[in-house]
Amino acid sequence: MNAPNERSAELAGIGEARLRKEDARFIQGKGNYVDDIKLPGMLFLDVVRSPLAHARIKRIDTSKAKAIPGVLAVLTAEDLKPLKLHWMPTLAGDVQAVLADDKVCFQMQEVAVVVADDRYIAADGVEAVEVEYEELPALVDAKAALAPDAPVIREDIADRSEGAHGPRSHPNHIFTWEAGDRAAADAAFAAAEVTVAQDMLYPRVHPCPLETCGCVASFDPVRGELTTWMTSQAPHIVRTVVGLLSGLPESKIRIISPDIGGGFGNKVGVYPGYVCAIVASIVLGRPVKWIEDRIENISTTAFARDYHMSGELAATRDGRITGMRVKVIADHGAFNSHAQPTKWPAGLFSICSGSYDIPAAYARVDGVYTNKAPGGVAYRCSFRVTEAVYVIERLIDVLAQKLSIDKAEIRRRNFIHREQFPYTSAFGWQYDSGDYERGLQKVLEAVDYEALRAEQAAKRADPDCPTLMGIGICTFTEIVGAGPSKACDVLGVGMFDSCEIRVHPDGSAIARMGTINQGQGHPTTYAQIIATELGIPSDRITIEEGDTSTAPYGLGTYGSRSTPVGGAATAMAARKVHAKARKIAASLLEVGEADLEWEIDRFQVRGDPERAKTMKEIAWAAYQHAPSGEEHGLEASYYYDPPNFTYPFGSYLAVVDIDRATGETKVRRFYALDDCGTRINPMIIEGQIHGGLTEGFAVAMGQQMPFDAQGNLLGNTLMDYFLPTAVETPHWETDFTVTPSPHHPIGAKGVAESPHVGSIPCFSNAVADAFAHLGVTHLEMPHSAYRVWRQLHASGVAL
Amino acid sequence: MIPAGFDYHAPDSVAEALRLLDELDDAKLLAGGHSLLPMMKLRFAQPAHLVDLGRIPGLSGIREEGDVVVIGAMTVENELIRSEIIRRRVPLLAEAAALIADPQVRNRGTIGGDIAHGDPGNDHPALAIALDAGFVLEGPGGRRPVKAEDFFLGTFMTELADNEILVEIRVPGLAPHTGQAYEKLKRKTGDWATAGAAVVITIEQGKVGAVRIGLTNLAPSALRAEAAEQALLGQPLSETTIEDAATRAAAICDPAEDLRGDRDYKLAMARQMVKRAIRKAAARCP
Ligand SMILES: Cc1cc2nc3c(=O)[nH]c(=O)nc-3n(C[C@H](O)[C@H](O)[C@H](O)COP(=O)(O)OP(=O)(O)OC[C@H]3O[C@@H](n4cnc5c(N)ncnc54)[C@H](O)[C@@H]3O)c2cc1C
């Protein structure tokens, strides 16, 4: 018998920096993405899109396109009407045009689809479809959406005074959502010694996964079955939606998410392209593939953010925050297809009191329609948490500047202290655990904060210094792992998640989950959880996700929910297997279950460890002779409904040097300390943090979707849209503390989104800090050289 | 992102390519394809025929002919970067080519295509102007030379006739007491210049003996900043003359506003790039 430490190492369980199991096939180009799926007789679908942001469709002539040899069908809204599929419901309680019905409401909106023998003919067919438009005035500025004379975007619902989330006050108004206690917040402001206010725009950005959206729909007319390969972050929910739309029973629908080249929220929704491909396959009886190109992806499938925020803090003169108010105009584009738990039109935005003990708070979000693409997904964050963290982390800096209090110190004065957990915020969230001071202190010591501030002071004193130096701090708290089904559902389905584990006779195992990997490392980390729980080496555990015909129903992977929800289901399913294994072991060893104790990979008799049965032996026995009263086999499933969200947190610090001549911002140093509770695989955590920081850097420093006054999207290719490469990405320093979640079976919290959520305000805080001595409190993102230069110029410090 | 249909031709000599250009209606030459194919994929360009120069022997390569370095039009950027001759005789080209696009594009994109395309955002035009390079164009009537500074007429407009091929770029090698430098401000890897300046400067006995300045993406075509050169010529280099040169260079610019910035920003950046390139080139003078 090997020594315990050897056996434990052999498991490669929780805490091991195990190499990712899935990488071998990706590195060798052996991944299997949607566009790799090739079926006999497969057709291609391409989309005719509107060049205008707002226009009435006068006429569509498809005859030239239909005449092209190899074009099998051209579909418009008229063709979908008899099937009642020209509109579809959205996850947010609205409807969205599948193909434009009478008018187009955003540039690049889907107007018709062409189905052809190959994608080249389909593209030629798209060119040949003639559409005559009558241009209408476009509404681009969300803040003008509710003006009395604003163009009405949604004529289909213009006269409805009730929306999915309550009363509507204007044809372009989607919802008003309020949280907190307005009277209490107003009272705090009335009594405040100081107040600060800051308007800020979290610009419209796009998650821009390397693989664009797409699907292959294959309807078998003989069996009446629909199989669709789709690059989806939520295949099970898609199956339910497809069932609702098509009228097919879910038992006849199979959605398969193969390898996914990044999702970041972009692949949660159901898009017109999917619906059209499925309809075309049903109508033509042949498989139909639809794959977006990059321009279509950036222009049409879900964007993120676009929150116009006005934040205020009330405080005492020594910097204790006494109240918070936030008002938001949320630009949802032409249809409200915001990805969200159904009852949360502003997601979890009310986490916006952050890491601070703020006694009174109030937030209000007004969603509006504009002539832009629909969406509002959680781009590497839990629903609207990025926006929430941004507003509080910017506001606290503005307050610090006003009071001339150091930006680290003001955070310390306001933190929720360790002994206050579990802590209920003014917005009603119950923070499960936290230890904010410890993290911040560790970061400040690691970077020698005092020395950095001294260097900054010296540089500010030197008028010839060619750079402005800024130090940004962000001490954020996230809310992830949606979520408790009493609070969260999608179309009525509770936001639980699931796992099934089956241990084979030889002691190896397969486990299937309702989540779906898109680079998070599920095949590796889930196996580690099971390894520790069951004493089966990770390498002998296969993880499968993404096929609705084999995996148990789950809500999918987004909002950092895989570990908090799917990981918990995995641990709980393993514990059910473990309980049965104990029974079998007791029977084999002829002792009572209570006489057994678990040791790494075996049950041993208390006080007589030589008498033991390993999990491998138990597995064999489970198939050979089940103990009396027990079924054969060794398997279990678990549907986990989390009792609460988890609240990962971190302390980040950035040092930037701004070139006074060009406005270029160089990130000299970025130190990220994260606390995600129990750390399952430190290497994967570090990789996720690097990725999240890089995407955060992209958003803060360069990403934006700029529109002109006519609603034309000006930067929809990777020439303009900023996707950082290794060349521009800064060096990342990472660190951690461990504060386990008290309610999660293994104490884990989810980590992949923290670095995105936390780094963005950290960059903005650093850039604003560089200008703080010049009286500047805020610069809008992205902090491109050009925009920063304009501030240099306005502040009179450009060289 | 799928081009309209076209026919593909792969001649094996310049003469054959010229014959195809003459015979075919609506034909385009194809070099590395990294400007032409993106335009075709967006269907901004829909040529009926592509005549690929890639199979013609002798159109690529770098050689020395006395004082001149001769670069075949089909030489790709990565060859420029790696070439010992370029690094020794025209270091500016190696430095600047490394700032063009990304490694994949540089593996296919050619110096000839970069010049012939006539895109004001491309870097080679201003480099060629600063280097006082000459281009050799071959047409049905034989070869003719054109000086770089006379070649660029406007956006996508050059001296090149429809039935001509750019075959060679002839660059004077690095002169004694001379330094070269390229300064390019860009938003990210793979981006064209917000503003770029190429400087070739000769400093003898403390005075500027010769100087040429080329500007990238600051007007409808690459510019030679002659007035700026005049501000430096015959003078010792000083912060005053450099400022003066930068001001004069910016004065001839006519940049278009785009996502990289408005005119004011680009003019300010033109000044910065010119100043930086002068200083850097001067510091490199042996
Ligand atoms: C992502 C990206 C980033 C880029 N960034 C930059 C950059 O920063 N700086 C830069 O300078 N360029 C940049 N480019 C352009 C790139 O350098 C191209 O390779 C170059 O502009 C064209 O060269 P080519 O060999 O690819 O020519 P092609 O695309 O094949 O041809 C371009 C045009 O020139 C004509 N042509 C080509 N060769 C000849 C010839 N010998 N005689 C006559 N006509 C000819 C063609 O008919 C065509 O009209 C970028 C391209 C991409 C895709």
Side-chain angles (χ1 to χ4, degrees), chain B residues 28-29 31-36 109-110 114 122-123 166 184 191-192:
Chain B
K28 266 259 165 223
L29 295 171
H34 273 296
S35 287
L36 183 55
T110 66
D114 198 278
N122 278 3
D123 294 294
L166 168 61
K184 175 179 180 179
D191 195 17
W192 278 269

Side-chain angles (χ1 to χ4, degrees), chain A residues 506-782:
Chain A
D506 69 351
S508 65
I510 183 165
R512 299 189 172 98
M513 288 81 183
T515 49
I516 171 74
N517 186 48
Q518 313 127 42
Q520 293 89 342
H522 293 180
T524 310
T525 49
Y526 280 149
Q528 291 180 258
I529 296 175
I530 298 171
T532 293
E533 293 285 343
L534 289 184
I536 298 173
S538 292
D539 283 342
R540 292 172 60 89
I541 303 168
T542 300
I543 304 295
E544 255 185 34
E545 301 172 292
D547 182 341
T548 58
S549 285
T550 55
Y553 201 104
L555 277 279
T557 293
Y558 42 84
S560 264
R561 61 188 303 283
S562 293
T563 298
V565 192
T570 302
M572 298 307 281
R575 286 174 194 179
K576 278 168 98 173
V577 171
H578 196 264
K580 179 163 181 188
R582 176 186 286 272
K583 285 199 171 74
I584 297 171
S587 151
L588 291 172
L589 292 163
E590 298 177 333
V591 295
E593 282 183 54
D595 296 326
L596 292 177
E597 59 189 9
W598 174 252
E599 200 247 5
I600 301 169
D601 58 358
R602 66 197 55 202
F603 287 102
Q604 57 196 26
V605 177
R606 230 175 271 281
D608 187 4
E610 292 300 308
R611 286 180 64 204
K613 286 289 169 194
T614 64
M615 188 55 84
K616 195 174 156 80
E617 292 165 326
I618 294 166
W620 181 251
Y623 289 88
Q624 201 182 26
H625 41 68
S628 63
E630 291 292 324
E631 293 169 38
H632 275 81
L634 189 56
E635 59 182 80
S637 64
Y638 200 95
Y639 286 66
Y640 184 80
D641 183 8
N644 189 1
F645 294 86
T646 65
Y647 297 77
F649 58 93
S651 285
Y652 290 179
L653 188 142
V655 184
V656 301
D657 297 298
I658 293 172
D659 184 328
R660 286 172 58 196
T662 62
E664 288 169 293
T665 299
K666 187 174 180 321
V667 178
R668 187 202 308 180
R669 199 157 182 199
F670 197 100
Y671 198 93
L673 178 141
D674 275 282
D675 192 319
C676 61
T678 302
R679 292 159 59 82
I680 300 166
N681 181 325
M683 186 197 66
I684 285 188
I685 290 174
E686 199 181 5
Q688 291 295 318
I689 291 173
H690 283 192
L693 293 174
T694 304
E695 276 185 328
F697 169 73
V699 169
M701 308 313 281
Q703 292 189 340
Q704 63 169 333
M705 299 175 71
F707 290 83
D708 68 12
Q710 286 72 46
N712 298 306
L713 174 53
L714 301 176
N716 59 6
T717 72
L718 295 185
M719 276 323 306
D720 287 310
Y721 197 71
F722 180 47
L723 214 58
T725 68
V727 177
E728 42 275 306
T729 301
H731 174 71
W732 309 119
E733 299 171 74
T734 60
D735 198 350
F736 63 95
T737 54
V738 176
T739 310
S741 165
H743 63 74
H744 186 278
I746 61 168
K749 296 182 175 179
V751 74
E753 302 178 335
S754 295
H756 186 84
V757 169
S759 67
I760 296 167
C762 192
F763 288 116
S764 283
N765 284 351
V767 171
D769 185 66
F771 289 91
H773 60 303
L774 303 165
V776 175
T777 56
H778 181 71
L779 283 87
E780 295 286 24
M781 288 190 286

Side-chain angles (χ1 to χ4, degrees), chain B residues 27-81:
Chain B
K28 266 259 165 223
L29 295 171
L30 174 69
H34 273 296
S35 287
L36 183 55
L37 295 185
M39 294 180 86
M40 288 171 61
K41 287 181 174 183
L42 293 167
R43 300 201 176 201
F44 293 158
Q46 306 199 3
H49 301 272
L50 285 187
V51 178
D52 189 351
L53 299 175
R55 309 256 173 108
I56 301 178
L59 268 188
S60 92
I62 299 157
R63 64 179 198 275
E64 290 176 276
E65 264 182 27
D67 286 346
V68 176
V69 175
V70 182
I71 305 168
M74 287 297 289
T75 307
V76 301
E77 306 292 353
N78 274 341
E79 287 177 73
L80 296 176
I81 294 170

